[in-house]
Amino acid sequence: MERWLWPSGGAWLLVAARALLQLLRADLRLGRPLLAALALLAALDWLCQRLLPPLAAIAVLAGAGWIALSCLARPPRLPVATRAVLITGCDSGFGKEAAKKLDAMGFMVLATVLDLDSPGALELRACCSPHLRLLQMDLSKPADISRALEFTKAHTTSTGLWGLVNNAGFNDVVADVELSPVATFRKCMEVNFFGTLQLTKGILPLLRHSRGRIVTLGSPAGDMPYPCLGAYGTSKAAVAMLMDIFSCELLPWGVKVSVIQPGCFKTESVKNVGNWEQRKQLLLAGLPQELLQAYGKDYIEHTHGQFLHSLSLALPDLSPVVDAIIDALLAAQPQRRYYPGHGVGLLYFIHYYLPEGLRRRFLQAFFISPCLPRALQPGNPGPTTPQDAAQDPDPNPGLSPTVTQ
């Protein structure tokens, strides 16, 4: 059989021109993924010339090229036009950067902040267009939410509201659940869940009318048991489930719902080491003496150090999360879940497919690996169980046991 002759000379120019036209039409993301795909296609081309007959080689290369273009091409997006979007938590981090980017794209941005005179609010006033509107809102205060709803309705009478970005969140403790104040759990639920619920419910008439979008910033801590993030993680798990329910219930109305589960990025709250140190000191000061003796100050200091080390590895570039927010707002078919950040895909693969023991050890190695509490360390008396009490009678039966509340 004759060896297949591939295009040469002028024919290669025609093939290259057609390929370039396809690349431009596909609106591909330029970067390492595209270069890697082109390298793999070149290697496949070389193999096909030597191993396959002409028709089979054409079929293989065409299929591989189509798959590569489908994976790398940007999904079709809707025009910005006069769309308006409400973003919460724009004092810093993802909210502030998303507000700046969406304003530059031509959106009418309504941005809520905790403090109208905060550095983030002043930065937004200075660098954004006059179309951006700032509003003070605390998600733990129903009156603030009601005022934000009226503000949004008043400023979107002509354009309608296209999107709601639930970005604001709260967490002020990193500790075992037993060491975390119940008030912290309530505060996290108040802001991350109930505040988000009240705002989203109030804004739904506008979103149903525009057949718009709901985008919510979640956390992998809401999907898997991150050590020492019990209060934050449970509130994020609740809001993720809420958004899944909204996604089903709002489908007939044409409202699309997305949840973004970012990895660890270097936002202002992550960079503020002094703030985390202060919270650790408040935790130590408020611990009951019994818990402090059982766990020990060294245990809490070790946990705090591990947490700060994980924060030092945070990604400084916030653009992957901002890009996910934009895609969720403008993609013709947005994803239900976005996972921006290095290693997040691997994290979820391990969580869903590996045994429970490996999952737990990986999370401890990846985030916080606590040491043994003081009461469990060699040489220290361990906790007494009811079985131990039954086997070891009280050596002083005449003395009443001390009950600790």
Side-chain angles (χ1 to χ4, degrees), residues 371-396:
C371 62
L372 276 177
R374 176 191 291 170
L376 298 179
Q377 294 174 5
N380 290 306
T384 301
T385 65
Q387 292 82 359
D388 294 334
Q391 296 172 4
D392 186 15
D394 188 351
N396 300 298

Side-chain angles (χ1 to χ4, degrees), residues 57-82:
I58 290 174
V60 169
L61 285 173
W66 181 83
I67 292 173
L69 289 176
S70 299
C71 293
L72 294 172
R74 296 179 187 272
R77 286 187 172 179
L78 306 173
V80 173
T82 57

Side-chain angles (χ1 to χ4, degrees), residues 69-396:
L69 289 176
S70 299
C71 293
L72 294 172
R74 296 179 187 272
R77 286 187 172 179
L78 306 173
V80 173
T82 57
R83 300 182 194 275
V85 60
L86 171 65
I87 311 176
T88 65
C90 295
D91 300 83
S92 62
F94 303 134
K96 184 183 73 175
E97 295 305 315
K100 290 162 61 176
K101 184 68 177 287
L102 291 171
D103 176 75
M105 293 173 65
F107 276 90
M108 175 185 173
V109 177
L110 309 178
T112 77
V113 292
L114 275 174
D115 183 1
L116 289 171
D117 294 321
S118 67
L122 297 177
E123 181 181 343
L124 289 176
R125 283 198 189 97
C127 69
C128 292
S129 74
H131 299 293
L132 182 135
R133 297 284 187 272
L134 287 175
L135 171 69
Q136 189 279 328
M137 184 183 72
D138 184 340
L139 274 177
S140 65
K141 298 178 179 178
D144 280 15
I145 296 175
S146 298
R147 185 160 45 86
L149 292 173
E150 294 303 319
F151 181 90
T152 302
K153 292 172 185 176
H155 284 80
T156 58
T157 51
S158 59
T159 62
L161 182 71
W162 172 251
L164 166 65
V165 179
N166 290 310
N167 168 70
F170 173 82
N171 182 41
D172 72 346
V173 69
V174 178
D176 293 44
V177 170
E178 189 177 14
L179 302 177
S180 303
V182 174
T184 297
F185 281 79
R186 290 198 177 101
K187 179 71 171 180
C188 282
M189 289 298 293
E190 196 64 43
V191 174
N192 301 341
F193 179 75
F194 287 110
T196 299
L197 171 63
Q198 182 182 349
L199 180 65
T200 306
K201 277 174 60 69
I203 221 79
L204 274 180
L206 299 178
L207 295 177
R208 286 192 285 104
H209 184 266
S210 66
R211 301 173 67 86
R213 305 290 170 84
I214 300 172
V215 184
T216 301
L217 270 292
S219 170
D223 287 334
M224 52 193 82
Y226 270 67
C228 303
L229 287 183
Y232 181 72
T234 50
S235 67
K236 287 297 186 179
V239 81
M241 176 58 71
L242 175 68
M243 292 302 148
D244 284 343
I245 294 170
F246 272 140
S247 181
C248 296
E249 295 178 347
L250 297 175
L251 192 61
W253 296 95
V255 177
K256 294 181 172 62
V257 182
S258 298
V259 176
I260 299 173
Q261 309 282 56
C264 188
F265 287 84
K266 198 163 286 186
T267 59
E268 278 79 352
S269 63
V270 168
K271 291 185 289 187
N272 194 344
V273 176
N275 190 35
W276 290 111
E277 178 66 28
Q278 182 182 13
R279 292 174 181 180
K280 181 201 69 178
Q281 296 298 337
L282 290 173
L283 174 69
L284 284 168
L287 276 181
Q289 191 64 27
E290 180 189 8
L291 280 180
L292 188 58
Q293 288 179 351
Y295 281 86
K297 184 179 178 181
D298 290 345
Y299 179 89
I300 297 170
E301 293 285 357
H302 175 82
T303 298
H304 180 71
Q306 294 257 302
F307 174 66
L308 292 184
H309 174 70
S310 71
L311 295 187
S312 70
L313 304 176
L315 303 173
D317 181 12
L318 307 187
S319 62
V321 179
V322 175
D323 290 342
I325 292 172
I326 294 170
D327 192 77
L329 288 171
L330 290 179
Q333 295 297 329
Q335 301 174 34
R336 292 276 299 276
R337 287 286 192 277
Y338 291 85
Y339 303 99
H342 298 324
V344 180
L346 174 62
L347 195 65
Y348 274 89
F349 175 84
I350 290 172
H351 175 68
Y352 285 122
Y353 296 107
L354 295 190
E356 191 272 338
L358 289 176
R359 299 200 306 263
R360 183 177 64 253
R361 284 195 290 272
F362 180 82
L363 271 180
Q364 290 177 346
F366 174 76
F367 185 56
I368 291 177
S369 179
C371 62
L372 276 177
R374 176 191 291 170
L376 298 179
Q377 294 174 5
N380 290 306
T384 301
T385 65
Q387 292 82 359
D388 294 334
Q391 296 172 4
D392 186 15
D394 188 351
N396 300 298

